[in-house]
Amino acid sequence: LLREADTPSQNALKPPLYRLARSILERYELLKLKQTLLYAYDASPFYHQLFNKNHVKPRDINSFVDLTKLPMTNPADLQENPRSFFCVPEKNFIKVFTTSGTTSAPKKAYLTRRDINTIINSSVAGMRLIYHITPHDIVRLTFEEGYGTEIWGNRYCYEHIFGKIGALTLVTGRLKIEDELKMLLEYKPTVFMDVSSRINYLTSELKKLHDLDTLGITRILLGAEPTPNSMRKKIEKAWNTDVFMGYGT
């Protein structure tokens, strides 16, 4: 939650019922890391070759300090031959998500149905627990779909996440400012979600046409981009609502 500490919020989180001890959490994280490294080494041609080239094996990683032994994966590796990363047969994949390709050729991520379900199910739990999303909410999503392939996968995943919660989801991509205002006035969404720069732009333009405080938005969810403190304060003040910052899909 990014709202100022002394500003009341109807979305304030309740204390957790219990907390995991740090030592237990770290042991679990290390276990899952070792399982992931072993799986990648055994199943991915790229990582098997990369580990051998750097004379390291999954069994060499016995603490978080040992992470310095792991070789780095360069963006160019994923751009040049994404199929060498595959750990399952290509016929198992159902979606391809890509980066935007702003600075170089887009990087591709192939996902199986199990991958997609894992993303959706974990995010459903997060949306309910952290952001208090319920079937009574109406969610406005303005993520772009992309050109031929899904950029980042935000739009696809979030539409399915909110749908599984049971919230009405308004998904159109980017509209003209006047059309965006018409949608907000007609459907009265309670949650607005997009990247920080888009929400900031909409805030600047929409407030020229309407008092944003009267639209009924109770939560704004930002992600995928850095959000300067000045931008966050501007958005909070204009909409008079809570602003949350996520790390992405």
Side-chain angles (χ1 to χ4, degrees):
L1 179 61
L2 299 181
R3 178 178 280 262
E4 294 291 347
D6 58 351
T7 305
S9 166
Q10 61 180 309
N11 300 309
L13 303 182
K14 298 178 181 178
L17 298 179
Y18 62 91
R19 298 179 186 274
L20 284 176
R22 170 58 61 180
S23 59
I24 296 176
L25 180 59
E26 288 181 351
R27 282 161 52 192
Y28 178 74
E29 290 174 336
L30 183 60
L31 172 65
K32 301 305 291 184
L33 172 63
K34 294 171 71 172
Q35 290 177 345
T36 301
L37 293 174
L38 182 60
Y39 177 71
Y41 181 78
D42 289 341
S44 166
F46 174 85
Y47 284 113
H48 190 89
Q49 181 180 4
L50 182 66
F51 276 42
N52 287 341
K53 180 180 178 181
N54 288 271
H55 308 291
V56 62
K57 296 290 192 295
R59 64 174 179 269
D60 298 329
I61 310 302
N62 296 304
S63 70
F64 291 116
V65 175
D66 293 331
L67 286 173
T68 57
K69 301 176 182 179
L70 295 175
M72 300 297 290
T73 303
N74 295 317
D77 297 325
L78 192 57
Q79 290 170 321
E80 292 170 2
N81 188 12
R83 287 176 172 80
S84 67
F85 286 80
F86 289 177
C87 293
V88 298
E90 189 166 354
K91 64 182 179 63
N92 290 12
F93 297 113
I94 65 168
K95 290 293 291 184
V96 180
F97 296 152
T98 75
T99 59
S100 60
T102 303
T103 58
S104 59
K107 292 172 281 293
K108 302 179 179 67
Y110 292 73
L111 294 98
T112 64
R113 186 172 300 281
R114 181 180 179 182
D115 295 329
I116 295 293
N117 288 339
T118 298
I119 293 171
I120 291 173
N121 290 335
S122 62
S123 298
V124 164
M127 287 292 175
R128 286 171 170 161
L129 177 64
I130 301 174
Y131 307 131
H132 297 175
I133 306 297
T134 74
H136 300 292
D137 280 305
I138 300 175
V139 183
R140 176 71 177 114
L141 287 178
T142 55
F143 288 110
E144 289 285 28
E145 186 173 13
Y147 304 93
T149 57
E150 180 85 20
I151 294 179
W152 300 114
N154 292 336
R155 176 169 168 164
Y156 177 89
C157 290
Y158 282 126
E159 187 171 5
H160 285 77
I161 290 163
F162 292 123
K164 192 163 185 176
I165 292 174
L168 174 62
T169 310
L170 311 172
V171 187
T172 63
R174 274 71 189 279
L175 301 178
K176 294 180 179 179
I177 295 299
E178 293 78 9
D179 293 332
E180 183 66 50
L181 180 58
K182 289 179 181 178
M183 173 164 284
L184 296 177
L185 291 171
E186 178 177 356
Y187 292 99
K188 298 177 172 58
T190 55
V191 180
F192 208 134
M193 187 172 194
D194 204 333
V195 297
S196 303
S197 58
R198 178 63 181 178
I199 294 294
N200 185 54
Y201 169 74
L202 289 173
T203 300
S204 298
E205 297 302 314
L206 285 171
K207 71 179 184 180
K208 298 175 183 177
L209 305 176
H210 198 85
D211 181 2
L212 303 184
D213 187 9
T214 66
L215 291 177
I217 300 292
T218 60
R219 282 142 292 171
I220 293 179
L221 311 184
L222 309 178
E225 297 174 349
T227 306
N229 194 46
S230 58
M231 180 190 298
R232 182 264 298 175
K233 288 184 176 181
K234 168 188 170 183
I235 295 171
E236 283 187 340
K237 181 178 180 181
W239 297 83
N240 189 30
T241 193
D242 293 323
V243 173
F244 296 83
M245 184 68 195
Y247 295 99
T249 306

